[in-house]
């Protein structure tokens, strides 16, 4: 079932809503609204929303996407930071018993429990929101990002885009690049292309996931062009464990490799090797993120 029949109907809804609020969109707040019916319909179709789904939408704006989610899902949580937009959304959906508008910064507010996330993200918070989503349990997400940002999810090992983001996304989810979206699909049109990506949470993760692995990846990827030997040596010195250098560095795999050339499998291998070699207590001291 299509949500928006035509783009002119959708465009009219967006413009009328902005007029009603006497509001104009601000670029620095990521306020670019979808005015292409085929793109919204594409997102909603790919989200494959079931009547049992609870949806999280980050950045509700004028409710042009929300409207499509509300008719399909059991419940929809919409987070919107802009007070005017949040008020508008609350009014708009005041007669729908399955919508809750949460006014606040999506980076800071506690996410409710949800099964799917369907969002056209404000681009300036793409990175913290992606990492925050990866901490949560959910089934599936359909997300719009800046195209360049989305491409980092699929970066090949050893390329400049291969980063902590690539590693963590691929550790915890299966992503698919679904579609490039042109600036003309939005009002106002952004300067760059966007991309729709799907993200399916992996049920089983290959490494025991408390935040340790994440910390380890954060630490070593903060100097991703450096060689592993120099990173470990400097880290030990900085944390006051210089005398352990030989114990840890001897037999360490991938010693002469630059960090950004290590695949996910190799990084997990390295993490397990170091953890086993130094034990729990030393591990938390040396690989915790607090800087000594
Ligand atoms: N959902 C609409 C659509 O699909 O066209 C609007 C998407 S627009 C790209 C992003 C929305 O996120 C804007 O309404 C903006 O006010 C809101 N926003 C910006 N920063 C935010 C933040 N930190 N937390 C929650 N919402 C935010």
């Amino acid at each position: 079932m299509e949500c928006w029949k035509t783009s002119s109907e959708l465009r009219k809804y967006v413009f009328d809503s902005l007029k009603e609020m006497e509001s104009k969109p601000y670029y620095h707040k990521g306020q670019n609204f979808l005015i292409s019916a085929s793109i919204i319909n594409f997102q909603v179709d790919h989200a494959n929303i079931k009547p049992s789904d609870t949806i999280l939408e980050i950045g509700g704006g004028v409710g042009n996407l929300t409207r499509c989610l509300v008719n399909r899902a059991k419940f929809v949580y919409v987070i919107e930071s802009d007070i005017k937009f949040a008020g508008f959304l609350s009014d708009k959906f005041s007669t729908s018993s399955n919508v809750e508008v949460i006014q606040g910064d999506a980076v800071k507010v506690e996410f409710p429990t949800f099964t799917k996330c369907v969002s056209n993200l404000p681009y300036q918070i793409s990175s913290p929101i992606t990492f925050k989503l990866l901490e949560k349990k959910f089934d599936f997400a359909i997300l719009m990002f800046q195209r360049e940002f989305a491409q980092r999810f699929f970066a090949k090992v050893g390329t400049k885009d291969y980063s902590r983001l690539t590693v963590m996304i691929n550790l915890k989810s299966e992503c698919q690049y679904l579609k490039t979206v042109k600036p003309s699909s939005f009002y106002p049109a952004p300067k760059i292309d966007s991309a729709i990506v799907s993200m399916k949470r992996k049920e089983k993760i290959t490494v025991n996931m408390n935040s340790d692995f994440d910390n380890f990846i954060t630490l070593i990827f903060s100097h991703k062009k450096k060689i592993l030997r120099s990173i470990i040596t400097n880290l030990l010195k900085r944390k006051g464990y210089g005398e352990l250098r030989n114990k840890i560095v001897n037999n360490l795999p991938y010693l002469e490799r630059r960090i950004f050339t290590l695949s996910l499998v190799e990084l997990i291998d390295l993490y397990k090797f170091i953890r086993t070699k130094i034990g729990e207590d030393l591990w938390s001291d040396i690989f915790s993120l607090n800087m000594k």
Side-chain angles (χ1 to χ4, degrees):
M1 183 177 55
E2 281 179 338
C3 179
W4 289 100
K5 291 220 162 9
T6 62
S7 292
S8 54
E9 177 196 15
L10 168 58
R11 252 197 316 268
K12 182 172 177 338
Y13 173 86
V14 171
F15 293 150
D16 286 352
S17 304
L18 291 171
K19 209 167 164 189
E20 192 180 322
M21 274 187 279
E22 295 175 353
S23 194
K24 60 174 190 195
Y26 288 100
Y27 182 76
H28 69 278
K29 291 184 182 171
Q31 291 171 343
N32 305 92
F33 303 103
L34 265 178
I35 49 167
S36 160
S38 62
I39 297 295
I40 291 203
N41 292 337
F42 178 92
Q43 291 185 297
V44 176
D45 283 351
H46 279 75
N48 194 18
I49 298 167
K50 304 271 183 283
S52 56
D53 275 322
T54 297
I55 309 288
L56 174 67
E57 185 193 356
I58 298 164
V62 292
N64 44 342
L65 172 61
T66 321
R67 201 177 100 143
C68 312
L69 308 174
V70 168
N71 294 335
R72 288 163 173 76
K74 181 172 161 205
F75 202 87
V76 180
Y77 290 102
V78 194
I79 306 178
E80 172 57 59
S81 59
D82 188 302
I83 292 185
K84 248 187 181 177
F85 285 115
F88 177 83
L89 287 167
S90 298
D91 286 350
K92 197 92 207 154
F93 297 103
S94 59
T95 54
S96 312
S97 57
N98 64 337
V99 184
E100 182 178 330
V101 178
I102 302 167
Q103 195 268 310
D105 177 352
V107 178
K108 294 186 186 143
V109 299
E110 182 73 25
F111 282 176
T113 305
F114 61 97
T115 56
K116 290 180 179 163
C117 179
V118 186
S119 302
N120 294 319
L121 292 172
Y123 293 149
Q124 69 278 21
I125 57 167
S126 294
S127 179
I129 290 296
T130 306
F131 282 112
K132 191 167 171 176
L133 281 173
L134 290 176
E135 296 294 311
K136 304 291 167 198
K137 270 197 165 172
F138 62 92
D139 299 334
F140 192 67
I142 293 284
L143 302 168
M144 176 97 72
F145 296 102
Q146 276 187 358
R147 187 168 69 137
E148 274 189 13
F149 182 83
Q151 281 169 337
R152 286 165 53 193
F153 298 2
F154 309 94
K156 294 265 180 300
V157 180
T159 62
K160 98 175 165 6
D161 278 349
Y162 183 72
S163 61
R164 171 182 167 233
L165 179 74
T166 323
V167 172
M168 295 313 291
I169 285 265
N170 287 289
L171 176 73
K172 295 185 179 183
S173 72
E174 281 161 28
C175 283
Q176 238 187 310
Y177 187 101
L178 297 179
K179 200 178 185 53
T180 301
V181 180
K182 291 285 163 204
S184 57
S185 298
F186 297 89
Y187 171 79
K191 292 189 178 73
I192 30 80
D193 283 350
S194 302
I196 302 172
V197 171
S198 70
M199 197 188 280
K200 186 175 177 335
R201 287 287 268 142
K202 283 185 186 166
E203 274 170 27
K204 278 214 170 129
I205 294 173
T206 39
V207 64
N208 183 14
M209 279 316 296
N210 36 41
S211 55
D212 276 10
F213 184 73
D214 196 358
N215 291 353
F216 174 68
I217 295 298
T218 304
L219 272 175
I220 65 172
F221 268 83
S222 55
H223 303 284
K224 71 175 189 176
K225 289 201 177 139
K226 286 199 174 156
I227 285 166
L228 178 64
R229 176 196 295 275
S230 105
I231 294 207
I232 299 293
T233 309
N234 287 339
L235 185 64
L236 290 173
K237 259 197 219 154
R238 206 171 69 230
K239 298 274 176 147
Y241 289 100
E243 78 284 0
L244 289 179
R245 187 184 170 277
N246 284 344
K247 180 178 174 192
I248 295 180
V249 168
N250 278 350
N251 302 323
L252 195 64
Y254 319 120
L255 256 188
E256 306 305 333
R257 298 266 296 275
R258 292 185 195 280
I259 298 303
F260 77 111
T261 70
L262 295 171
S263 69
L264 178 56
V265 172
E266 289 169 333
L267 289 162
I268 293 172
D269 188 28
L270 183 63
Y271 162 81
K272 286 183 175 163
F273 185 94
I274 302 179
R275 258 201 101 118
T276 314
K277 195 143 191 181
I278 66 177
E280 291 294 317
D281 290 347
L282 276 181
W283 174 273
S284 357
D285 253 20
I286 297 170
F287 290 96
S288 69
L289 286 183
N290 58 3
M291 297 296 161
K292 267 193 183 168

